[in-house]
Amino acid sequence: MPEKWGGDGLWGEGGYVEYYEVLEHLASIDPPTGQLLQVHSHALGMLAHVATDEQAQEYLVPIARSGQRVASVGSESVPGKTNRGNSTSELVRGDNGRWRLTCEKHFASVGPGADYLIIWTAVPGEDSYDARSVAILVPRDIPEIEWINNWDTLGMRPTVSWGVRINDWEVPESAMFGHSGWFEDSDPRTFTLGFAANHIGSARAALEFTIGWVKERPHLSTDQIIQHQIGTMSAYVQAARTSLLTAARAWEEHPGAAAELASVQTLVVAKEIALQVTQQAFDVCGARSIFKRYQLEQIFRDTRTFTLHYRVDGYVRDLGASLIAGDYNLRGNGGVAPAPVAGA
């Protein structure tokens, strides 16, 4: 929440580094908890970025003061319809001229325990979906909401990311945030660092588990191959964490396209390192570490699940296209970062 409305200014102004340090630390303890905080904080931060003073006083300040929770819900329900520009949920005008919302979304992390949902959708038109996108703040207790309890997954289970249907809800004028397409043309694209922070925290947790496991077993701790593997894992985690803090600092010092580029680079590195380190931890610790009573099993499941949240190849392509173009523009014709979706 911005300081002008009584917040601490995290995820903005001078608070990017501190915010992502908190997320990374929480993920090193429990990745789902880190993701839930990231969804809520980033959702509220995005709204604060475009809210009018009237919207802030009606919604955002009361939410922050009372400790309410906000979920960001953007993924579509139809397979093959999650690509940029192809989303299916849209608003329609009612007979009285007011917008009415009907949609089905999935991966609503925080959703079952949230007080409000940000629904990402679009007004009708011929432009691309992202150019028409808007954010609507929906109270969770309206009768038009139907929850879909289908969260039975490999990992990230405590996020309880149910699906949600909204059936013909009349949208109050004050509940629509930002102009059409504001996420595409004006939102700080730092949500990638939220995912990166979670991956890095998970990798650090796997590394710390591995070190503790090896210390308790002399036949492993004196093995030079094991020592080499742990040294390599630590270097990878340190490199990823340094990248995270560098990108976060870039948002504090010179926000814009270069900071967004650094964030995407960090995301790519964080995913690869998290997958590699969590898998290598099993190779070092051996078969006895696979039992569910040990934390490593959950770290591995959560990492594998959460890294499926997005298709990183698209980010890499956009990254390469921007570097070739020389303008570091991940929103323009050379390459556009996809719209936000709820975390798995």
Side-chain angles (χ1 to χ4, degrees):
M1 180 71 70
E3 293 179 356
K4 66 179 178 179
W5 291 323
D8 293 327
L10 295 180
W11 191 76
E13 302 164 355
Y16 284 110
V17 171
E18 185 177 358
Y19 173 59
Y20 291 111
E21 284 181 322
V22 170
L23 290 182
E24 190 265 348
H25 180 69
L26 277 178
S28 73
I29 300 170
D30 185 63
T33 299
Q35 167 62 356
L36 291 175
L37 177 64
Q38 189 273 137
V39 168
H40 163 81
S41 300
H42 194 239
L44 203 57
M46 285 190 293
L47 293 186
H49 182 68
V50 295
T52 64
D53 286 336
E54 291 77 14
Q55 286 177 314
Q57 296 305 320
E58 181 177 353
Y59 296 109
L60 307 188
V61 173
I63 286 172
R65 285 179 177 172
S66 62
Q68 293 180 313
R69 292 168 295 274
V70 180
S72 179
V73 191
S75 62
E76 299 294 328
S77 63
V78 181
K81 292 295 184 180
T82 56
N83 295 326
R84 177 183 176 271
N86 292 336
S87 299
T88 55
S89 301
E90 292 196 0
L91 296 159
V92 297
R93 290 283 189 187
D95 293 338
N96 60 358
R98 300 282 293 275
W99 289 113
R100 306 191 72 87
L101 175 64
T102 298
C103 64
E104 181 173 328
K105 308 280 187 178
H106 289 260
F107 298 103
S109 297
V110 191
D115 299 282
Y116 287 92
L117 311 177
I118 300 178
I119 298 294
W120 292 92
T121 184
V123 298
E126 298 300 321
D127 294 333
S128 69
Y129 187 90
D130 289 345
R132 296 180 283 113
S133 63
V134 293
I136 298 175
L137 191 62
V138 181
R140 79 170 317 271
D141 58 357
I142 61 171
E144 291 86 354
I145 280 186
E146 176 187 354
W147 290 99
I148 305 169
N149 182 0
N150 59 355
W151 193 242
D152 183 17
T153 57
L154 171 69
M156 300 298 283
R157 296 168 185 169
T159 65
V160 195
S161 303
W162 289 1
V164 60
R165 295 188 185 96
I166 299 179
N167 302 299
D168 196 31
W169 180 59
E170 183 172 286
V171 180
E173 184 176 347
S174 63
M176 185 177 291
F177 284 72
H179 60 271
S180 298
W182 66 268
F183 176 80
E184 182 179 54
D185 62 35
S186 64
D187 184 70
R189 296 298 183 83
T190 61
F191 69 95
T192 48
L193 287 185
F195 303 146
N198 199 295
H199 300 337
I200 295 165
S202 297
R204 182 159 67 89
L207 172 63
E208 292 172 352
F209 177 93
T210 302
I211 293 172
W213 181 276
V214 169
K215 280 182 176 180
E216 296 175 355
R217 294 162 174 81
H219 69 289
L220 296 179
S221 62
T222 57
D223 188 307
Q224 292 184 357
I225 294 177
I226 296 296
Q227 293 168 353
H228 182 274
Q229 289 176 307
I230 290 178
T232 301
M233 292 164 65
S234 72
Y236 289 159
V237 172
Q238 175 65 12
R241 196 167 191 275
T242 299
S243 181
L244 172 69
L245 298 179
T246 298
R249 194 168 293 111
W251 281 105
E252 293 186 356
E253 296 175 353
H254 43 81
E260 185 178 346
L261 182 79
S263 300
V264 174
Q265 289 170 326
T266 298
L267 175 62
V268 174
V269 169
K271 175 182 178 178
E272 293 301 318
I273 286 177
L275 289 172
Q276 181 169 339
V277 168
T278 53
Q279 178 169 307
Q280 191 171 5
F282 279 113
D283 292 334
V284 172
C285 295
R288 293 184 185 277
S289 65
I290 66 174
F291 288 91
K292 290 186 176 181
R293 65 177 178 268
Y294 299 123
Q295 184 190 16
L296 188 57
E297 186 264 351
Q298 181 188 347
I299 295 171
F300 181 84
R301 287 189 293 102
D302 287 342
T303 300
R304 177 65 279 193
T305 301
F306 196 41
T307 52
L308 293 172
H309 177 83
Y310 43 79
R311 296 188 181 276
V312 77
D313 288 346
Y315 285 87
V316 175
R317 186 208 68 84
D318 293 346
L319 179 62
S322 295
L323 289 169
I324 293 169
D327 61 1
Y328 305 111
N329 181 9
L330 298 180
R331 309 177 193 221
N333 294 330
V336 183
V341 298

